Amino acid sequence: MEMFSGEELNGMSGLKLEGECVEVTCGCTSHRYGDAVGTLRVFLSGDLRVSCQCIPGCNEDNLTPAAFEKHSGRETAGKWKNTIWVMVQGEKTPLAKTSLLKYYNKSQKRSPNGSHHGRQYHRDEFVQCSHCNKERRFRLRTKEECRVYHDAVTSSAHTASNWQCSDLTFDKITCEDEEERASRKALRGCLRSPSCKGCTKCVCFGCNTCRFSDCSCQTCVDFTHNNATN
């Protein structure tokens, strides 16, 4: 599926097209600290993520736009749609004046059952390594990522808690790597609030993205059976 037309993306700096994700160079300007530059990732689900490159070695690579705005030191935080910009034809252009927010805006129009046009949003989750006891982040933006997390949780629950850092397939992490700081763990990607501890906007109780018909765990079996009878 083509997320955006060539005209919608024309002239944007740092443009990369990767399946259900589009990447562009972005930034946010503070009168005190200047420009904080990063890479904005726009997902088909409506999710927006920023990898910050404000200084060499900055490890904030999964910020929501609101969190990036705050991280940049912007004095008037809370209006990220207008304060975060992308480079279009060499000019700083607010996100609100581009087409990059069209999937985000659609995701905000929630149906009565809490889904996003048939796709529930999933916040990041953590699983503890059985070897080093460090908690590792799982991002749940696609069905493939949800399956990796689901299998890790199922493994931890039913096979003597044997999941280890080396089993993480989307990120190359070993037990030697540092665990995320508590302040960063609190940022789990809720679209409503960066530091949300769990709400109907980011906590899913079962959908076609995070439940699997070929899985024999009771949760998936019940979900598949209920879907078939409805």
Side-chain angles (χ1 to χ4, degrees), residues 15-211:
L15 178 63
K16 290 183 181 179
L17 307 177
E18 298 185 2
E20 294 189 351
C21 174
V22 170
E23 292 186 3
V24 295
T25 298
C26 70
C28 190
T29 303
S30 163
H31 295 300
R32 181 177 181 182
Y33 301 108
D35 291 347
V37 179
T39 298
L40 173 68
R41 300 190 301 277
V42 181
F43 294 89
L44 185 61
S45 63
D47 190 25
L48 302 171
R49 293 287 158 207
V50 178
S51 296
C52 184
Q53 294 121 33
C54 59
I55 58 173
C58 179
N59 61 2
E60 298 293 353
D61 64 350
N62 191 42
L63 297 172
T64 63
F68 175 62
E69 180 190 49
K70 182 178 181 180
H71 176 70
S72 72
R74 176 76 186 188
E75 292 80 5
T76 54
K79 299 181 179 179
W80 59 265
K81 293 182 182 181
N82 293 302
T83 58
I84 295 178
W85 43 261
V86 295
M87 298 298 295
V88 181
Q89 304 290 1
E91 298 289 335
K92 294 177 180 177
T93 305
L95 279 178
K97 293 186 178 181
T98 72
S99 298
L100 295 173
L101 296 180
K102 69 178 183 180
Y103 294 102
Y104 172 82
N105 292 334
K106 287 180 181 179
S107 74
Q108 302 306 292
K109 298 176 181 177
R110 301 171 63 82
S111 60
N113 64 4
S115 65
H116 295 270
H117 289 262
R119 293 188 61 175
Q120 170 68 36
Y121 180 81
H122 301 81
R123 67 177 183 172
D124 298 345
E125 299 290 353
F126 290 87
V127 175
Q128 187 177 52
C129 174
S130 61
H131 180 70
C132 67
N133 293 322
K134 295 174 183 175
E135 290 188 329
R136 301 305 188 188
R137 182 185 296 267
F138 284 71
R139 298 183 178 92
L140 311 180
R141 306 294 178 263
T142 67
K143 191 171 183 68
E144 292 75 19
E145 290 175 337
C146 285
R147 184 57 186 259
V148 171
Y149 169 70
H150 177 77
D151 289 348
V153 172
T154 304
S155 169
S156 296
H158 300 295
T159 55
S161 300
N162 64 356
W163 184 87
Q164 296 185 13
C165 295
S166 58
D167 296 327
L168 193 59
T169 57
F170 284 93
D171 292 308
K172 294 181 179 179
I173 290 179
T174 69
C175 291
E176 301 301 317
D177 291 314
E178 292 292 325
E179 186 175 8
E180 288 187 28
R181 300 187 305 274
S183 59
R184 192 178 180 201
K185 281 185 179 180
L187 304 176
R188 298 176 67 172
C190 178
L191 295 172
R192 180 184 64 83
S193 171
S195 58
C196 174
K197 295 182 179 180
C199 69
T200 56
K201 212 173 189 61
C202 65
V203 176
C204 178
F205 295 99
C207 69
N208 289 323
T209 301
C210 65
R211 298 291 181 261

Side-chain angles (χ1 to χ4, degrees), residues 205 208 218-230:
F205 295 99
N208 289 323
Q218 195 61 49
T219 301
C220 287
V221 170
D222 290 345
F223 179 82
T224 302
H225 175 73
N226 290 336
N227 264 10
T229 57
N230 287 339

